[in-house]
């Protein structure tokens, strides 16, 4: 138990340091090569911070624990939309671009709805997984196409960073995120299992919280540095990656049967991203009070889960 607690602390430290390096390197590359920061957030940063979810969900499915695999994604998406956006907005109000509100967030809402429709039969088969992967390919093609028309959203460059140094920061940041999250998830899961918590609750809370640490750290650090585009793009991109790519690949490799994950959990996931979308329409920003409301909503959901253990 003491060793697990020590590894949890080491994991959190690696995640925080990795998030700082990743954010700095990614934003520097965005400025140098003329790529809008929202696109960097939706692709490179989102992919890197979603790596822990991919690893955990795939291993959970292969090890015969499908509720943990799906709970990891559902719980991570709820945490992304409510706790992470909420905390980032409380650190610094987040400015949301017009295109993000009109195009990017709706894609995340659509991905959530698609997952709900595919899991009505409490299963995700290989055909369902293929549909999700095709949806991910459409999302990536759309994002790259959108980048061509977003030059106006480029921030003013204040200092140019050596591109090789930026790449090194990204690599080191991703390494810290992946290994730090791995330490955290393994150790936290061991502690939770010793306390007799069910597989679905572990997936929705402990594992989801651990694999969402990269998104939390990256978005809060980005918000603190005034890089709202990366902060919100990271959350939206991660949610889409989690559903379309991670559950798509996982269910194609190992079809999933859902038992402990309910439609209520799915509904909270859908409602959480819908709340972010709604708040974004108000002056195209998420204010501190709206962030606080999202955090309270997440804590209420977490309390409900724990009360039913």
């Amino acid at each position: 138990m003491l060793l697990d607690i020590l590894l949890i602390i080491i994991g959190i430290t690696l995640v925080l340091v990795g998030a700082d390096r990743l954010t700095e390197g990614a934003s520097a590359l965005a400025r140098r090569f003329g790529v809008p920061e929202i696109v960097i957030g939706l692709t490179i940063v989102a992919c890197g911070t979603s790596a822990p979810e991919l690893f955990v969900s795939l291993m959970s499915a292969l090890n015969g624990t499908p509720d943990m695999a799906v709970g990891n994604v559902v719980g991570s998406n709820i945490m992304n939309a409510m706790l992470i956006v909420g905390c980032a907005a409380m650190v610094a109000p987040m400015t949301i671009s017009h295109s993000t509100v009109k195009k990017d967030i709706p894609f995340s809402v659509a991905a959530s709805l698609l997952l709900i429709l595919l899991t009505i039969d409490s299963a995700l088969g290989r055909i369902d997984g293929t549909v999700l992967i095709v949806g991910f390919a459409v999302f990536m093609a759309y994002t790259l196409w959108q980048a061509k028309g977003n030059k106006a959203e480029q921030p003013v460059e204040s200092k140019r960073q050596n591109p090789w140094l930026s790449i090194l920061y990204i690599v080191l940041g991703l390494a810290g995120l992946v290994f730090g999250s791995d330490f955290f998830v393994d150790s936290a899961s061991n502690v939770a299992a010793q306390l007799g918590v069910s597989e679905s609750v572990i997936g929705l809370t402990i594992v989801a919280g651990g694999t969402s640490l990269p998104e939390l750290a990256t978005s809060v650090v980005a918000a603190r540095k005034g890089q709202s585009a990366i902060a919100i793009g990271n959350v939206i991109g991660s949610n889409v990656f989690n559903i379309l790519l991670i559950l798509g690949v996982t269910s194609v490799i190992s079809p999933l049967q859902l038992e402990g994950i309910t439609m209520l959990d799915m509904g909270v996931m859908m409602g959480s991203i819908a709340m972010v979308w709604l708040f974004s329409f108000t002056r195209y920003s998420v204010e501190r009070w709206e962030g606080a409301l999202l955090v309270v909503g997440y804590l209420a959901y977490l309390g409900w889960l724990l009360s039913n253990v």
Side-chain angles (χ1 to χ4, degrees):
M1 181 77 74
L2 291 177
L3 178 59
D4 286 328
I5 294 175
L6 176 60
L7 288 175
I8 287 174
I9 296 173
I10 292 174
I12 292 175
T13 302
L14 284 174
V15 163
L16 293 175
V17 174
D20 186 69
R21 295 298 89 186
L22 176 62
T23 302
E24 184 172 341
S27 62
L29 281 182
R31 292 192 299 267
R32 173 172 285 272
F33 294 107
V35 178
E37 286 191 343
I38 182 63
V39 177
I40 294 292
L42 284 166
T43 54
I44 297 175
V45 178
C47 181
T49 57
S50 289
E53 282 94 336
L54 176 59
F55 175 81
V56 171
S57 289
L58 185 57
M59 291 301 103
S60 296
L62 293 176
N63 290 334
T65 54
D67 274 350
M68 187 175 292
V70 179
N72 171 40
V73 166
V74 174
S76 292
N77 280 19
I78 293 172
M79 187 175 182
N80 285 351
M82 301 188 80
L83 183 63
I84 295 176
V85 171
C87 288
M90 289 171 68
V91 169
M94 302 173 66
T95 301
I96 315 296
S97 70
H98 184 274
S99 64
T100 298
V101 173
K102 298 293 185 181
K103 301 174 183 177
D104 298 321
I105 299 180
F107 216 114
S108 184
V109 173
S112 300
L113 179 60
L114 176 61
L115 179 61
I116 292 175
L117 294 175
L118 292 177
T119 55
I120 288 179
D121 59 352
S122 297
L124 273 177
R126 288 191 168 91
I127 294 178
D128 298 326
T130 302
V131 170
L132 292 174
I133 292 174
V134 170
F136 176 75
V138 171
F139 170 71
M140 287 302 297
Y142 162 76
T143 300
L144 295 177
W145 170 80
Q146 182 189 18
K148 299 179 180 179
N150 277 352
K151 301 299 182 182
E153 295 184 8
Q154 276 299 101
V156 177
E157 182 175 358
S158 57
K159 183 176 67 174
R160 295 177 68 86
Q161 186 179 85
N162 186 302
W164 291 109
L165 181 59
S166 300
I167 293 172
L168 178 62
Y169 279 172
I170 291 175
V171 172
L172 292 177
L174 289 177
L177 291 170
V178 173
F179 288 111
S181 296
D182 192 30
F183 289 157
F184 177 91
V185 171
D186 286 345
S187 302
S189 297
N190 289 339
V191 172
Q194 292 179 48
L195 298 176
V197 182
S198 70
E199 174 189 319
S200 59
V201 173
I202 290 176
L204 286 166
T205 57
I206 302 296
V207 177
T211 56
S212 288
L213 274 178
E215 285 90 343
L216 175 60
T218 301
S219 290
V220 170
V221 169
R224 179 173 58 82
K225 293 182 176 180
Q227 297 160 346
S228 295
I230 283 186
I232 191 67
N234 171 43
V235 168
I236 297 169
S238 292
N239 278 19
V240 174
F241 271 60
N242 289 348
I243 293 174
L244 299 182
L245 181 62
I246 294 174
L247 285 184
V249 170
T250 301
S251 57
V252 165
I253 294 175
S254 178
L256 306 171
Q257 291 292 329
L258 282 66
E259 295 180 1
I261 307 300
T262 67
M263 277 297 139
L264 177 60
D265 299 315
M266 295 288 188
V268 173
M269 177 189 68
M270 180 74 180
S272 62
I273 190 63
M275 285 181 65
V276 173
W277 194 18
L278 176 63
F279 289 158
S280 299
F281 275 104
T282 59
R283 302 176 184 175
Y284 290 98
S285 66
V286 179
E287 302 295 334
R288 283 192 170 92
W289 72 267
E290 293 171 326
L293 190 59
L294 288 170
V295 172
V296 170
Y298 178 77
L299 293 177
Y301 170 70
L302 186 62
W304 178 85
L305 277 179
L306 297 178
S307 68
N308 287 278
V309 172

